[in-house]
């Protein structure tokens, strides 16, 4: 990743991701998310409790971060605590957010007729069919 000195914890996480063949971009993103979590904590992330993870999720939600970003962070933290630290007590209390899907816009029969009318050539026009 970089030529700088890497902490043993970060090195362990990178090795765990490499063993599982996570893509380089995924590895980079996971490292960044754990780094952001550590900055939020103000200490090493391996000292975090379930309450710390919960507070971080609340912080993300309150700061207007979107559902996909929160879920990516949950996925990262689950990997970090389950695989790298083997702290299953934290993992079992983290959950993904399910966002309601929006229904597609359905056109009325009149709107469909107007759309087709606008797209089809009119009789007597100079448009030739092929």
């Amino acid at each position: 990743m970089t030529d700088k000195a890497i902490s043993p914890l970060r090195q362990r996480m990178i090795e765990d991701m490499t063993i599982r063949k996570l893509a380089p971009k995924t590895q980079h993103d996971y490292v960044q998310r754990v780094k952001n979590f550590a900055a939020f904590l103000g200490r090493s992330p391996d000292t975090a409790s379930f309450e710390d993870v919960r507070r971080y999720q609340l912080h993300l939600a309150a700061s207007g971060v979107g559902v996909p970003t929160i879920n990516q962070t949950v996925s990262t933290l689950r990997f970090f605590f389950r695989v790298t630290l083997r702290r299953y007590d934290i993992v079992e209390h983290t959950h993904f957010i399910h966002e309601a899907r929006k229904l597609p816009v359905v056109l009325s029969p009149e709107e469909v007729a107007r759309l087709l009318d606008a797209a089809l050539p009119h009789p007597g026009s100079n448009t030739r069919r092929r």
Side-chain angles (χ1 to χ4, degrees):
M1 299 217 123
T2 64
D3 291 336
K4 289 177 160 179
I6 297 177
S7 74
L9 182 61
R10 182 178 292 188
Q11 184 61 43
R12 172 75 183 219
M13 184 177 170
I14 291 169
E15 290 168 358
D16 289 338
M17 292 186 290
T18 302
I19 289 168
R20 284 156 185 81
K21 297 193 179 274
L22 272 64
K25 182 177 180 340
T26 302
Q27 290 188 28
H28 176 267
D29 292 348
Y30 273 31
V31 168
Q32 284 303 119
R33 288 190 196 105
V34 172
K35 185 178 173 182
N36 293 344
F37 177 58
F40 171 81
L41 287 176
R43 61 182 195 274
S44 178
D46 63 338
T47 65
S49 67
F50 164 70
E51 273 305 312
D52 292 324
V53 174
R54 184 176 182 281
R55 281 188 313 107
Y56 187 56
Q57 287 180 285
L58 284 170
H59 164 74
L60 291 175
S63 63
V65 171
V67 170
T69 302
I70 292 173
N71 284 340
Q72 290 164 356
T73 301
V74 168
S75 182
T76 298
L77 294 177
R78 282 180 154 196
F79 180 90
F80 177 68
F81 286 106
R82 185 185 76 238
V83 176
T84 302
L85 296 179
R86 301 197 185 287
R87 301 252 326 262
Y88 304 103
D89 57 313
I90 292 178
V91 175
E92 67 187 34
H93 296 292
T94 59
H95 302 284
F96 293 101
I97 298 170
H98 297 284
E99 189 172 37
R101 294 184 182 170
K102 296 178 183 174
L103 293 176
V105 175
V106 178
L107 299 176
S108 71
E110 294 81 19
E111 290 171 317
V112 171
R114 284 198 320 258
L115 180 67
L116 291 174
D117 187 48
L120 296 175
H122 294 287
S125 68
N126 290 335
T127 308
R128 292 178 23 179
R129 288 191 172 192
R130 295 182 183 187

